[in-house]
Amino acid sequence: MSYTGKFFEALLDLHSWINPKDFHIPNEIVPHAENLLGLYLNTPEDYMLVTDRALHWVSGEYVRNIPYDSIISVQAPATKSSRRLGLITREAEIIQLPILNETEGISDFYAFREFLIANIYFPFYAEEIQKVKSIESKEDLVHFLEKEDGGWGRHRITLDALRDGFPKLWQLEFFRINPEVTKQGDVWKMLALFLCRESPEHDPRSHSD
């Protein structure tokens, strides 16, 4: 099941975003199985068809289909002037995706990156996703959650418990959990993935259709 249609609100207010009803749907590019959400126009010769399952980048006669489930990371442009998002695929390819325009003086690549990250990592959400890789201990998890909380208080109870020594040895023993697992960094990384998600006011599923 694709949640992409729930996340593309980030693109709707961009000056270069065009709704499907305002242009002819190119059936030869977008498969019938995909739902077309809209078009992002870099230039008349370079644009992105955005569906619920993929990006279809058209540049002149060049057409590149990029399924969301083929993307594992989205890199911001190295410099603001470059205006290209680096899409890292499962095959370790880096696709330099141009997002050339601005809306109200702000580069559109910020909204496009938000859209892609929210989609490919759903339901996990973090401002700095790459930092999960550096979590190796309970202390690292606490530091990560503190940074991600951003004053929302989403992780207050969890953080209080972790600082107070949770899980305690007797709790691990009661649930027949080997205490040695707490020495494994992967355990704390996994907890970060389970704990981090968008706040309810930004979770598109919290709003009725």
Side-chain angles (χ1 to χ4, degrees), residues 109-193:
F109 59 68
Y110 292 114
F112 235 96
R113 184 171 184 266
E114 178 184 339
F115 162 73
L116 290 170
I117 287 177
N119 179 48
I120 67 178
Y121 291 109
F122 178 83
F124 177 73
Y125 179 86
E127 293 294 336
E128 298 187 60
I129 286 172
Q130 297 298 326
K131 290 194 174 180
V132 173
K133 295 178 181 179
S134 65
I135 296 174
E136 296 292 344
S137 65
K138 176 168 51 175
E139 291 72 26
D140 290 341
L141 177 61
V142 167
H143 182 69
F144 174 79
L145 293 177
E146 287 173 339
K147 293 289 187 181
E148 284 299 318
D149 191 75
W152 288 100
R154 288 171 287 164
H155 305 302
R156 180 179 57 80
I157 294 175
T158 301
L159 283 167
D160 287 347
L162 290 170
R163 294 187 191 109
D164 193 42
F166 179 84
K168 294 178 168 46
L169 179 59
W170 72 264
Q171 293 169 323
L172 294 171
E173 292 174 344
F174 179 81
F175 291 108
R176 298 179 181 176
I177 299 172
N178 185 343
E180 290 298 309
V181 302
T182 62
K183 299 178 182 178
Q184 299 175 16
D186 287 350
V187 169
W188 303 108
K189 289 185 179 73
M190 183 66 73
L191 284 173
L193 295 177

Side-chain angles (χ1 to χ4, degrees), residues 12-140:
L12 292 178
D13 293 330
L14 301 181
H15 291 171
S16 296
W17 179 258
I18 304 174
N19 292 318
K21 63 182 178 63
D22 296 327
F23 65 91
H24 173 68
I25 299 174
N27 292 325
E28 69 277 10
I29 297 176
V30 179
H32 291 292
E34 296 182 19
N35 178 31
L36 184 64
L37 303 177
L39 178 150
Y40 179 82
L41 188 70
N42 281 316
T43 70
E45 297 297 321
D46 191 296
Y47 55 89
M48 241 76 62
L49 294 163
V50 181
T51 79
D52 60 339
R53 298 186 181 277
L55 293 178
H56 302 277
W57 174 20
V58 180
S59 184
E61 296 183 358
Y62 172 84
V63 178
R64 178 66 186 266
N65 302 316
I66 312 170
Y68 301 125
D69 61 8
S70 71
I71 305 169
I72 63 172
S73 184
V74 183
Q75 296 180 333
T79 63
K80 186 176 180 180
S81 61
S82 69
R83 297 180 184 265
R84 289 177 179 266
L85 292 175
L87 308 185
I88 302 177
T89 70
R90 296 182 188 279
E91 291 74 33
E93 180 185 6
I94 300 179
I95 302 170
Q96 296 293 337
L97 189 73
I99 307 295
L100 302 182
N101 300 320
E102 296 183 352
T103 299
E104 306 297 337
I106 299 175
S107 294
D108 291 343
F109 59 68
Y110 292 114
F112 235 96
R113 184 171 184 266
E114 178 184 339
F115 162 73
L116 290 170
I117 287 177
N119 179 48
I120 67 178
Y121 291 109
F122 178 83
F124 177 73
Y125 179 86
E127 293 294 336
E128 298 187 60
I129 286 172
Q130 297 298 326
K131 290 194 174 180
V132 173
K133 295 178 181 179
S134 65
I135 296 174
E136 296 292 344
S137 65
K138 176 168 51 175
E139 291 72 26
D140 290 341

